Amino acid sequence: MKTVVVLPTYNEAENLPLMVEQLRALPVVDLHVLVVDDNSPDGTGQLADELRQRYPDFVLAVLHRPGKLGLGTAYIQGFRRALELGADYVIQMDTDFSHPVEAIPRMLEAIASVDVVVGSRYTQGGQLDPSWGWRRRLLSWGANSFVRWRTGLKLQDTTGGFRCYRRRVLEALDFSRVRSDGFAFQFETAYAIQRKGFRFVEVPILFRDRTKGASKMSLRIILEAFWRAWEMKGRY
Ligand SMILES: Nc1nc2c(ncn2[C@@H]2O[C@H](COP(=O)(O)OP(=O)(O)OP(=O)(O)O)[C@@H](O)[C@H]2O)c(=O)[nH]1
Ligand SMILES: [Mg+2]
């Protein structure tokens, strides 16, 4: 079974080489990486090309986009490419080590009996970075609860971006309907998947703050998430 890990990158030059090393070291057969870079000013795109030359059988492809076009479309293009490359399973994760690489074998075990596995901060056993203060915890919990209330999503962690999909799930989704750009993309796709009747399971993860590089989180992305949670149901 072929697994492709889609890594969206924007200014992740400090993180990408180590991510690729850690992924390569996993005890998973036929695991590959696909980088989707938005012409990062810090040269992440060129670095990805160098890694591809170094490990041609492991870094399967690097998608170069002309500029910062957003996380949503980066994933959509990455998913399409992963399917073209023949992936049986597609994993999405951040390139900043917030999502623990070592959880991947557990996720691939779990996918045997479901369609989507979610690396979850809010299921039993899941954890947020211990350094988070109560305000940040409250904001994250509040956003997640709002999404669940407004959309009826059954997932505990609706906004997290660490998932493993079976090929048929991505083939079944109509990505032309997806409008979210920032982390709203995570619950919009979850909602579309739930509506199609696919089965989810959540596996607990410890979410850690990035230690290198800068966050791309912005007020615009947070406001988009609340707006999408509000309007999405009517649109689908
Ligand atoms: N290709 C591409 N990647 C992006 C874009 N925005 C963010 N990313 C990547 O998506 C992942 C998540 O972005 P982060 O900046 O960590 O944002 P976040 O995880 O939502 O926020 P933090 O919790 O503050 O880290 C990282 O791998 C980023 O490099 C974008 O517009 N295009
Ligand atoms: Mg992050």
Side-chain angles (χ1 to χ4, degrees):
M1 290 292 205
K2 185 173 193 166
T3 304
V4 175
V5 181
V6 180
L7 296 179
T9 58
Y10 191 75
N11 286 345
E12 302 291 0
E14 287 178 286
N15 288 314
L16 183 66
L18 194 59
M19 276 295 288
V20 168
E21 281 311 316
Q22 290 199 6
L23 287 163
R24 259 171 59 83
L26 282 177
V28 176
V29 286
D30 219 3
L31 182 84
H32 306 273
V33 161
L34 163 63
V35 177
V36 186
D37 184 70
D38 279 6
N39 200 10
S40 298
D42 76 347
T44 307
Q46 291 95 292
L47 198 57
D49 286 333
E50 283 164 33
L51 289 166
R52 181 166 144 75
Q53 272 173 8
R54 200 180 311 163
Y55 312 118
D57 298 330
F58 185 70
V59 183
L60 275 183
V62 182
L63 283 182
H64 293 281
R65 307 201 306 164
K68 194 170 185 317
L69 298 171
L71 192 59
T73 56
Y75 270 128
I76 292 170
Q77 273 186 255
F79 292 161
R80 289 205 174 110
R81 190 64 194 275
L83 294 178
E84 284 165 14
L85 290 165
D88 298 294
Y89 302 125
V90 178
I91 292 175
Q92 61 163 76
M93 70 192 297
D94 292 356
T95 316
D96 57 2
F97 293 101
S98 284
H99 300 144
V101 172
E102 65 273 14
I104 288 177
R106 271 193 290 137
M107 292 170 86
L108 287 169
E109 246 169 66
I111 196 85
S113 50
V114 293
D115 300 303
V116 183
V117 179
V118 175
S120 176
R121 301 162 293 177
Y122 293 114
T123 195
Q124 200 176 11
Q127 276 175 278
L128 295 167
D129 193 300
S131 73
W132 280 24
W134 67 269
R135 278 197 196 84
R136 192 144 177 220
R137 284 170 193 269
L138 188 67
L139 180 72
S140 174
W141 178 84
N144 195 52
S145 304
F146 178 74
V147 171
R148 294 184 67 211
W149 166 75
R150 181 67 193 169
T151 62
L153 260 173
K154 292 187 184 77
L155 274 181
Q156 305 287 322
D157 191 341
T158 60
T159 53
F162 191 18
R163 295 188 187 154
C164 176
Y165 303 98
R166 230 172 236 281
R167 178 184 184 90
R168 64 170 177 245
V169 174
L170 299 181
E171 283 173 337
L173 288 185
D174 177 4
F175 285 111
S176 68
R177 294 182 76 170
V178 176
R179 300 224 184 120
S180 301
D181 217 23
F183 71 88
F185 177 80
Q186 314 303 356
F187 60 79
E188 181 162 358
T189 48
Y191 185 71
I193 290 167
Q194 180 173 298
R195 276 178 56 94
K196 291 208 178 271
F198 288 114
R199 293 157 306 157
F200 287 93
V201 73
E202 292 182 74
V203 301
I205 61 155
L206 163 59
F207 180 95
R208 283 199 187 280
D209 269 343
R210 63 162 73 239
T211 57
K212 289 181 181 147
S215 170
K216 279 100 226 172
M217 188 65 77
S218 66
L219 182 63
R220 190 189 71 77
I221 287 176
I222 294 170
L223 292 177
E224 184 212 23
F226 279 96
W227 167 241
R228 289 287 165 225
W230 187 259
E231 62 83 41
M232 202 177 67
K233 228 173 149 175
R235 186 152 52 77
Y236 272 84

